[in-house]
Each structure stands twice: as structure tokens, then as C-alpha cells.
Amino acid sequence: MASIKDVAAEAGVSVATVSRVLNDHPSVSADARARVLAAVEALGYRPNAVARSLRTDQTHTLGLVISDVMNPYFTELARAVEEEARALGYSVIIGNADERPELQDHHVRTLLDRRIDGLLVSPTDGGSPLMLEAARAGTPMVFVDRWIPGVDVPVVRSDGRAAVRDLVAHLHGIGHRRLAIIAGPAATTTGRERVEAFREALAEYGLGLPEAYIGQGDFQADSGRRVTEGFLDLPEPPQVVFAADNLMALGALDAVRARGLRVPDDLALAAFDDIPWFVHTAPPVTAIAQPTGELGRAAVRALVDRIEGRPPRSVTLAARLVVRRSCGENPDGNPATNRSQT
Amino acid sequence: MASIKDVAAEAGVSVATVSRVLNDHPSVSADARARVLAAVEALGYRPNAVARSLRTDQTHTLGLVISDVMNPYFTELARAVEEEARALGYSVIIGNADERPELQDHHVRTLLDRRIDGLLVSPTDGGSPLMLEAARAGTPMVFVDRWIPGVDVPVVRSDGRAAVRDLVAHLHGIGHRRLAIIAGPAATTTGRERVEAFREALAEYGLGLPEAYIGQGDFQADSGRRVTEGFLDLPEPPQVVFAADNLMALGALDAVRARGLRVPDDLALAAFDDIPWFVHTAPPVTAIAQPTGELGRAAVRALVDRIEGRPPRSVTLAARLVVRRSCGENPDGNPATNRSQT
DNA sequence: CGCAGTCGTGTAATCGATTCCATGCATCCA
DNA sequence: TGGATGCATGGAATCGATTACACGACTGCG
């Protein structure tokens, strides 16, 4: 592959001049510039990003470590992140943690070794030493979706509290009284928060959330299946399950179907995170939709602000309830509880 | 960030010795090794991958350019690729072409500039000059899923011919005679091939594939919707649509539903590419499943073979039909046409 | 006419690693 | 005991860029 030296030789100038042309530094004669550009063209020269990064200590690359690529929510997030980053002149390297802390650390370490300019993380656990250390060492970093409390890193996330309240209102209106939740890992903020929001909303209607109605999942489909089976085996099974993410909802659907039961007649279902497929499942699934794309874009903007020396801001966007048919029909047909219809 | 010089100073040895310890070169005394490791520990030193790559001309990184990250098929492929690559000591940088040739070229160029060791591509179009040039220049490269004919690059893909034949047998057995297809872009091999396989299979049953029953899609949901609407507006609409990928099937489902019609009663539906959600749609969708994970792993192995100087092999794996309910029930209940049941 | 300032250019240092080569010292065998 | 061999180590070149600094030529002003 042609290097800057080859271009310099071909154009009959020094490497410094070539470099100046490439970085359009003002102090180059029109003649020299033309000769360099011709040489670049003739040799098909492309600057070596590795060498450039070594010298300038900038890679123009962002790392994105997400919890699970197979989860459509994170896929959409990743896509938005890449688009916004590209618009701002950055590339993105994605690391898939697969909800495993050690894999997350592997990717963080690899990204750090590559000297990425900044890191976007949706932490799988409550605080890997590696990440805390990186944050303290000054690596530009932004948490997205999930975060680690007590660390001085901006957080871009969505607040589902109001939407969960709307959901409980909707369920209560239909007449459901025994509501259960498939929670995410307690080590994640979203895992804990969604349970808390659910519990508080239930309390407003004088309903409790017994231990037996809190199933411990891990944001993956299998756990949703397992927990739902447990619920169905209870002496008094719940009337509704609220899955804390879309994959566990898929698992719940699997479990219900495997028993030959039906949603919502035998068990109603709602999920956190809306995805296109929910419109077409049998029945269409009521879900809480996050502004995923906006979240990804805001996270990139915050990170790039931090990298380029501007003060980054944390951002919280609202989620909203999308009512479909998986929880049954509201007998009084009161549209007030239906924030949106798809 | 600590560099190798700092470690050398701390350990009281030269940088050469530090480097030797790090790359466990045999010729280092136990004493020196211990001092170096202690210094590495004390300083929290991590080698700079950028500098290392510049010197060794190896990045231990693979580029993967896929057509669309939002497509669950490619997501699964990407995941398998990353896993296998990690097992072999490589990282993966994913570029999402979003079915747009110019975006694909952007990513290929960026990856090449970063001097990745090899490139895995599922080309969006029939032959970007950039990619042809890279292949000719000797960049290790492997095509996965789709390929560009006439280029000397190994191809790892799955052959759906037999499965399409099984599908047509299944449809014919149910009694369908007017079969339509939502094709992918003609510029892609999979776009063309699936139409051809379908046409040939139809011919075996004495059925034709009229122009009006070939809808031009682009592998995205919107086009599936649009084409399906066109089919429904025909004086004699088809009885079945076969979508050449899962997203266009989603679009078709949308279109049917928007008209208040039902699958399979008003229009039967089958899709290429199976995904977990197809089990739960209304009705569950009959699909042709590719061995996606195995495809990704085989592609990585072929690429790494090529990179490390072993002769790479092209690989073709068989796809298989998964019968569900979206095409209606087979009246004679002949299980011979049902290759698999989920 | 002379000196200061500007402009274009080249030389060389530098980023952080790897690795060839030379050197010094210990060991071994004749 | 002496020369050959091998091992551990350090010095320095190198990868491909960027950029501080020096320098020569030209311009313009007093």
C-alpha cells in the first residue's frame, strides 16, 4: 500500500507538504497542491489511520458496549448511535456484552486498548472495577439506557415511571387485580427501577406486589419462559405479567403457548420496550415504548460534547404506553387510559 | 496513560526487555520478567494497540459490512461472526450499509483506512468499484450470504433451492395455484436467486410466474407493504405471497392487516429467513430457515484461513423449510412436505 | 536600498510499540 | 586455559503519519 513517502516522491515534494495538502493547511502553493493531489490520485493513496492516530492521539472512534445485540431495542439504539456519530465525523465500534459482565469487561478493555476517543455503555452489572477505573482516569464516557449510580458520568436514558403508571391504570381499568412482573437483573438500574415503578403504581390502586409475583429474569427470552411457567404453577396465578423487556415477553409468550393457554384470556401480557413485531404477535402486545432513536442520538451528542471539551449534559426522555390487545379489552372503553394506539 | 517507556523506567530495564516480556519471548531472565510484570501491575499499563498495529502491520481486527443491522437475520449473523472471531483472537468492526451502496462504500473505505486484517462483506449491490479494487489489491476478503459474481473471493452462503422446492410443494399440496413473490433487489445475488429458485420450482408443478406476480422490493419492510398492496389491487390477486426476506414479510403482514384481511384465509404468506418472532405472529409464519450461526462461523474461519496464509474454502450450507400456519392447512395432511415443525 | 515580515517548503523529532544487531558475560568442551 | 557457544540485555532503526522549527525567497515600506 502506498504511503505518504511514495506520494511525496511521486509529486516531487517533501512528506510535510503532502501532509499539509491532505489536512488542508493554508500554507501550500497552488502548484504544489495540484501536484500532490495528482500523485494521490495516481497512486490511489489513502492515509493510514493507524499512523495518524498514533501521532495525533485521536482515533475519531467511539466505543459502544451494549448488553445484547439480539435484542431489537439495542439494535435500534446501535443504529441510531452509528448514524449520529457518522454525521459528527466519528466511527463506532460495537461490543456485545450478551448480559455477561466478563464479556462486557473484555470489550471495554479492547476498546480502551484501541484508544477510542470515548465510550458509550449500557452496563450489564452494577459496577465493574475496570469501568469505574476508566471513568476515574478521565476516559470520556456516557451511560445510555442503564447506568451505574455514584459515578460521575452523564446518563442518557428514558423515564418509564409515568408510562408504567398509565399501564397499571389500564390494567386496573380492565379489572385485573393480581399483577406480576418479570424483573430484570437487580444489578442493573433498569432491572430495579421498573420493579419499583410498578410497585409504586400498584400501591396507588391499593394493590400490593407479593414476592411470589416478582420473577427474577435476566432480560433474555429463556428467563421469561422460565419465570412465566413458575407463575402459572402458582396456586393462585397472576392475571397479568409485565415483562421488563421485549425478549422476556417473547419467552412469556412461548410459555403460555406451550401450555395451550391463550393471551389475554388465560394470562394478560405487557412489556417494556416496543418493537415492530409486537403489532403482529397473537395478540398484539401492549408495550411501553422508549424514544430509542432519540436516546441514541442524544447519547452520542453528549459524548462528543465531552470529547471536544464542551460540558456534556445528562438527558432523560419520557417513555409512553402503547395499548394493544394483549391485556384484554377495557369494559368501560375509557380512552383516557389509552395514551396511544397502534 | 503509561507507555512502555514508563514501564521500562519503573522496572529498571530497557523497552526492548519490556516488549520481550509482553510478547513472551523466551530470552528473558526470570528476574527481569518479574520486575517488568510488577511494573506493569503497578502502573496499570496496557499496550497501545495503535502503536503495535503500526509496527506489526496487523490489527487483529476483521471488518464486517452487512446490509442491514435492523434485520434480525443479519443481527444473528453479526453475533455469530463476533463470537467466532473472538475465539480466534480477532475483534470485529461492524459497518451497517442499510442497503445503500454509498453507505457500504463509506464503511469499506473506513475499514480499509484502519488497516483491518480482513473483510467480510454481504454486498448491497452488484459490484462497487471500491470493493473490486480492494479484492484485486489482495485485501483478504470473504463474501457472506450475498456475493459478487466474477470476483475471485470465497463465498460462504446457504443454498435455498431445495427448501424453496419444498415450499412450493407444500403450497401446491394445500391447493394454491396463483403464487407471487416479493423479490429483493436485482443487484443482489440473493435477490435474483430466490426468484429463480421459485420460478423453477413452480415450473415443476406446471405453474408459471407472471410478471405481475413478481413485486420488486428492497429487503426492507416498507417495500413489502407496498408490493403487497399492489398484489391485492390486481384484478386477480395471488393466493400466496412469498417474501424474499423477513422484513418484507413483516411489511406484507402490515398491508394485509391494514386492509382488514386475514392470513392465510385471504392471502397466504411465506418468508425467506426464519426468526424467533415468526412463531408468535398471527398466524405463525412458514419460513425458510438458514443455518445463520453456522454461516457466520464458517465465514470467519474462511477469512482467518486466508489471513493466516491457509487456503480458504467457499462453503454452501442447505436451508430448510419450517412449516407453520401462514399458508393454510394441508388437506391431505401428508407429512412428507413438512420438513420440520416448530 | 535595506530590513522586517510573510509565505512556501524541507528537515527532523515525535507518537509507542517491535525487532535486528551488537555486546558482555557465563558456560562448556578440548 | 582458551576459544567457541549461548543467553540476557540494550541501542537504535523502523512503521506512517503530524508538526515545530529553520531557512530561503519574495514583498513592501520607510
Side-chain angles (χ1 to χ4, degrees), chain B residues 82-212:
Chain B
E82 197 276 334
E83 276 179 4
E84 184 73 8
R86 181 151 34 81
L88 297 176
Y90 288 79
S91 301
V92 176
I93 302 184
I94 302 173
N96 174 29
D98 221 359
E99 302 288 0
R100 285 152 53 193
E102 80 282 5
L103 234 191
Q104 164 183 279
D105 275 12
H106 165 89
H107 284 119
V108 169
R109 202 183 322 272
T110 307
L111 290 166
L112 257 23
D113 285 354
R114 285 167 180 266
R115 302 302 193 262
I116 46 149
D117 292 343
L119 195 56
L120 237 35
V121 193
S122 169
T124 292
D125 63 348
S128 107
L130 177 61
M131 219 140 58
L132 299 182
E133 170 54 28
R136 205 154 37 73
T139 309
M141 203 152 142
V142 166
F143 288 136
V144 56
D145 184 53
R146 311 178 185 174
W147 76 98
I148 299 177
V151 184
D152 182 26
V153 165
V155 179
V156 173
R157 64 186 196 100
S158 87
D159 181 3
R161 244 175 183 65
V164 169
R165 207 152 42 223
D166 290 345
L167 171 65
V168 170
H170 168 65
L171 295 170
H172 189 269
I174 290 170
H176 296 305
R177 293 295 177 271
R178 298 195 308 280
L179 317 191
I181 184 167
I182 309 176
T188 63
T189 45
T190 48
R192 290 192 302 273
E193 268 190 348
R194 290 170 191 177
V195 175
E196 277 324 302
F198 195 54
R199 190 197 308 278
E200 285 171 22
L202 288 177
E204 291 182 22
Y205 286 87
L207 300 174
L209 184 59
E211 269 311 306

Side-chain angles (χ1 to χ4, degrees), chain A residues 46 49-50 54 61 69-70 75 79 82 86 98 106-107 109 113-114 250 254 275 277 280-282, chain B residues 46 49-50 54 61 69-70 75 79 82 86 98 106-107 109 113-114 250 254 275 277 280-282:
Chain A
R46 295 246 81 212
V50 174
L54 176 61
T61 301
V69 255
M70 301 289 283
T75 309
R79 183 206 162 120
E82 197 276 333
R86 180 152 35 80
D98 221 1
H106 165 88
H107 283 118
R109 203 184 321 273
D113 286 354
R114 282 165 183 271
L250 173 63
D254 275 347
I275 59 170
W277 299 102
H280 295 289
T281 47
Chain B
R46 296 244 80 212
V50 175
L54 176 61
T61 301
V69 254
M70 302 289 284
T75 309
R79 184 204 162 121
E82 197 276 334
R86 181 151 34 81
D98 221 359
H106 165 89
H107 284 119
R109 202 183 322 272
D113 285 354
R114 285 167 180 266
L250 173 64
D254 274 347
I275 59 170
W277 299 102
H280 295 289
T281 45

Side-chain angles (χ1 to χ4, degrees), chain A residues 28-113:
Chain A
V28 181
S29 68
D31 176 59
R33 160 166 286 116
R35 292 219 309 285
V36 167
L37 292 177
V40 164
E41 185 68 21
L43 298 174
Y45 169 75
R46 295 246 81 212
N48 183 325
V50 174
R52 194 194 289 246
S53 292
L54 176 61
R55 184 58 236 247
T56 61
D57 204 32
Q58 291 184 29
T59 50
H60 276 279
T61 301
L62 269 27
L64 169 65
V65 178
I66 53 180
S67 324
D68 183 5
V69 255
M70 301 289 283
N71 184 326
Y73 166 71
F74 284 111
T75 309
E76 194 182 341
L77 187 72
R79 183 206 162 120
V81 163
E82 197 276 333
E83 277 180 2
E84 183 73 10
R86 180 152 35 80
L88 297 176
Y90 288 80
S91 301
V92 176
I93 303 184
I94 302 174
N96 173 29
D98 221 1
E99 303 287 359
R100 285 152 52 193
E102 81 282 5
L103 234 191
Q104 164 184 278
D105 275 11
H106 165 88
H107 283 118
V108 170
R109 203 184 321 273
T110 307
L111 291 166
L112 257 22
D113 286 354

